[in-house]
Amino acid sequence: IMSGAITLLLERKWGTLRRLLSAPLSRYAVMGGKLAGVMAAGVIQAAILIVAGALLFGVDWGHAPLALAIMVLAFVFAVSGLGMLIAGLARTYAQANALSQILTYSTAALGGAWWPIDIVPRWVERVAMITPAYWAMRGFQDIIVREQGVAAVLPSAAVLVAMGALFLAAGLARFRDAL
């Protein structure tokens, strides 16, 4: 997902983004289209992982498909926004790629995707709360482990959407300044 957002750097470098922005479309329409494409790819990736997990490994994704869909959409939005922020901050594709790798692995570990968040000290859990991975894991665990539904995941999804909006706004502001 982040790689898709980061390709904006290549488009800026090659001049294709400037040409798109000169079309009779608003800046928001162009960037919204880019974000929609990145999000669509992310949702397709998540769907493939969910189906493969269920069919190949017998993963029980819970009994609340709507809650699962909400969490997938919220997480994909947050990560897409983070990718846009990285694209706005980095000057080269190599910088963006390195930064996205560092953030992906460190926040996954910190957020509880590599081990249960319950085994870390309380202060680590508090720090983890600033990562999208923490809220995604919390929501997915509500569905899969705790067998809860939509009402249980709405707080986690709301935090992810807020994070995504914040990342996206900051990224687009930085990207606009770089054009």
Side-chain angles (χ1 to χ4, degrees):
I1 296 170
M2 280 203 234
S3 296
I6 292 169
T7 58
L8 286 171
L9 284 170
L10 295 175
E11 291 193 32
R12 182 173 64 194
K13 178 182 175 184
W14 296 331
T16 55
L17 187 58
R18 189 171 298 283
R19 281 180 274 182
L20 275 173
L21 292 172
S22 68
L25 298 168
S26 73
R27 207 179 266 277
Y28 296 109
V30 171
M31 297 308 275
K34 295 289 182 187
L35 178 65
V38 168
M39 286 192 59
V43 169
I44 290 168
Q45 288 174 351
I48 290 169
L49 290 172
I50 289 168
V51 170
L55 296 178
L56 298 175
F57 303 107
V59 175
D60 180 2
W61 290 98
H63 305 290
L66 181 58
L68 186 61
I70 289 169
M71 283 306 302
V72 166
L73 288 172
F75 185 57
V76 166
F77 178 69
V79 174
S80 298
L82 184 57
M84 293 286 206
L85 176 59
I86 291 170
L89 292 173
R91 293 178 186 229
T92 67
Y93 185 81
Q95 284 178 348
N97 194 36
L99 185 56
S100 72
Q101 294 296 319
I102 290 167
L103 283 174
T104 298
Y105 293 123
S106 62
T107 61
L110 183 62
W114 289 4
W115 49 74
I117 198 73
D118 301 335
I119 68 168
V120 300
R122 181 74 180 130
W123 70 268
V124 173
E125 185 176 355
R126 282 193 213 107
V127 173
M129 294 173 84
I130 65 169
T131 69
Y134 173 86
W135 296 99
M137 291 303 297
R138 182 174 160 176
F140 288 124
Q141 286 176 355
D142 283 342
I143 298 164
I144 299 163
V145 177
R146 298 179 210 32
E147 297 182 0
Q148 297 179 340
V150 172
V153 302
L154 286 179
S156 295
V159 172
L160 286 168
V161 169
M163 285 180 166
L166 180 67
F167 296 150
L168 183 61
L172 290 177
R174 289 280 304 165
F175 213 83
R176 184 187 67 234
D177 294 341
L179 286 176

